[in-house]
Amino acid sequence: MAKDTVRYPDEVVEEIDTLVDDGMFESKSEFYRFSAEYVLSLINPEHDVRTFNFEEIKSELDISESDHARALGTDGGTFFLDAVITVRKQGLRGNYEAAERFIDTHYEATDQECIVLEELLGTYRNGTE
C-alpha cells in the first residue's frame, strides 16, 4: 500500500474526529479510505473498490442508490449543469422570480456560475420584452 500525506483544514479534521469518536468510522484511516473510494466510484462506475468492508460501511451510512445518483446529478456529477437546466426551465416558463430564488439560494453573488446563470436568465427575460 502507498502512503500519502494530505493536509486538510482544521475544521474538516475536527468533523472527521467527531465521526470517529461517535463510532461511525473505526479510525480516521478508514474514513479517508472509504471517502476516496466512494468519490472514485461516483466519478467512475467501473472503479474496482478495494477498501475492506466498503459496502458494509456504505450500508451503515445508509447511502442508497438514489442518494448515490443524486450526488452525481443528471450530468454525471456537475451540479452546474443541473442548475442551468433549472434556470432554463424557469426562464422558458416565465418564472423569473423562481429562477432568481434558485440562483440566490445556491450561489454567492460573486461566483462565476452565479454570473453565468443570471446572464442566462436575462436572455429569457429580454426575449419576452
Side-chain angles (χ1 to χ4, degrees):
M1 244 189 223
K3 184 176 179 180
D4 263 341
T5 302
V6 181
R7 295 185 184 275
Y8 293 96
D10 292 337
E11 298 81 19
V12 171
V13 173
E14 288 170 12
E15 288 196 38
I16 294 167
D17 286 340
T18 300
L19 293 174
V20 172
D21 292 344
D22 290 347
M24 194 167 282
F25 292 90
E26 280 186 28
S27 65
K28 286 167 115 176
S29 293
E30 182 182 67
F31 172 86
Y32 294 126
R33 283 190 297 272
F34 174 83
S35 300
E37 294 272 30
Y38 184 71
V39 170
L40 289 171
S41 69
L42 286 175
I43 294 168
N44 177 10
E46 303 297 316
H47 173 69
D48 181 25
V49 175
R50 296 179 185 248
T51 296
F52 180 70
N53 289 339
F54 179 84
E55 289 301 326
E56 182 180 324
I57 295 168
K58 187 175 163 188
S59 71
E60 287 175 10
L61 293 174
D62 199 23
I63 300 173
S64 67
E65 289 305 315
S66 61
D67 292 333
H68 192 83
R70 209 172 12 263
L72 282 175
T74 57
D75 63 337
T78 305
F79 178 77
F80 181 67
L81 182 57
D82 287 335
V84 168
I85 292 167
T86 299
V87 170
R88 181 178 182 275
K89 278 186 202 175
Q90 298 296 344
L92 286 169
R93 295 177 180 147
N95 298 331
Y96 308 126
E97 288 180 17
E100 287 173 345
R101 271 193 309 278
F102 174 83
I103 294 168
D104 291 344
T105 57
H106 291 88
Y107 294 95
E108 293 294 320
T110 56
D111 288 350
Q112 289 179 341
E113 291 94 346
C114 177
I115 295 166
V116 170
L117 291 171
E118 287 175 344
E119 287 294 321
L120 174 64
L121 180 58
T123 62
Y124 293 105
R125 263 200 187 116
N126 296 335
T128 60
E129 294 175 353

